[in-house]
């Protein structure tokens, strides 16, 4: 089955939407008060010394981590691999869509130059 450039460009756009939603889910998985989320919702000990030592970790864009202590992360384990796969899908489908679009444009230009006669297949 042959896919059109519109299919690949739509797939790329949908992958970007999924990428944003997954990142947003992971970035806000700790809530506004991490200590309260760890203790009350997850039943984990909040380690202030660990958080102070690793203060940059929760603010990074990728990979997403928001740890209560050294052994428990509030960001679900599926978030970072999903971000990688969706990013690869978005880039790959964008490249494929643009290449197919360029090929279709070149075929249209060749058709116009030949006076409307179809070009022989290669």
């Amino acid at each position: 089955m042959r896919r059109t450039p519109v299919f690949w460009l739509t797939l790329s756009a949908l992958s970007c939407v999924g990428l944003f939603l997954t990142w947003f889910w992971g970035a806000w998985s700790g809530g506004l008060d991490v200590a309260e989320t760890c203790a009350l919702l997850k039943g984990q000990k909040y380690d202030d010394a660990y958080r102070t030592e690793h203060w940059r970790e929760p603010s990074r864009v990728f990979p997403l981590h928001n740890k209560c202590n050294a052994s428990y992360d509030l960001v679900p384990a599926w978030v970072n691999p999903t971000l990688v796969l969706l990013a690869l899908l978005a880039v790959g489908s964008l490249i494929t869509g643009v290449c197919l679009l360029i090929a279709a444009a070149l075929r249209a230009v060749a058709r116009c130059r030949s006076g409307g006669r179809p070009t022989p297949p290669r």
Side-chain angles (χ1 to χ4, degrees):
M1 175 183 243
R2 187 174 172 170
R3 305 280 186 198
T4 63
V6 173
F7 169 80
W8 292 105
L9 296 174
T10 303
L11 181 61
S12 178
L14 290 175
S15 299
C16 288
V17 169
L19 183 67
F20 172 75
L21 292 174
T22 303
W23 182 87
F24 190 78
W25 181 273
W28 286 97
S29 61
L32 294 177
D33 188 353
V34 177
E36 189 175 284
T37 303
C38 291
L40 298 178
L41 297 179
K42 303 298 180 179
Q44 294 292 321
K45 179 184 175 288
Y46 180 78
D47 188 355
D48 194 34
Y50 177 83
R51 296 277 297 189
T52 303
E53 187 176 328
H54 298 94
W55 61 275
R56 287 188 180 157
E57 215 169 67
S59 62
R60 288 192 305 194
V61 174
F62 184 80
L64 293 174
H65 290 292
N66 198 359
K67 294 186 175 186
C68 294
N69 50 49
S71 62
Y72 190 80
D73 196 351
L74 291 172
V75 177
W78 58 269
V79 169
N80 288 318
T82 303
L83 290 174
V84 170
L85 291 176
L86 286 172
L88 290 174
L89 181 63
V91 169
S93 57
L94 179 65
I95 290 170
T96 303
V98 168
C99 288
L100 289 175
L101 197 61
I102 291 171
L106 291 176
R107 280 194 303 274
V109 168
R111 210 174 309 125
C112 286
R113 286 187 179 162
S114 67
R117 296 183 304 260
T119 56
R122 293 182 189 188

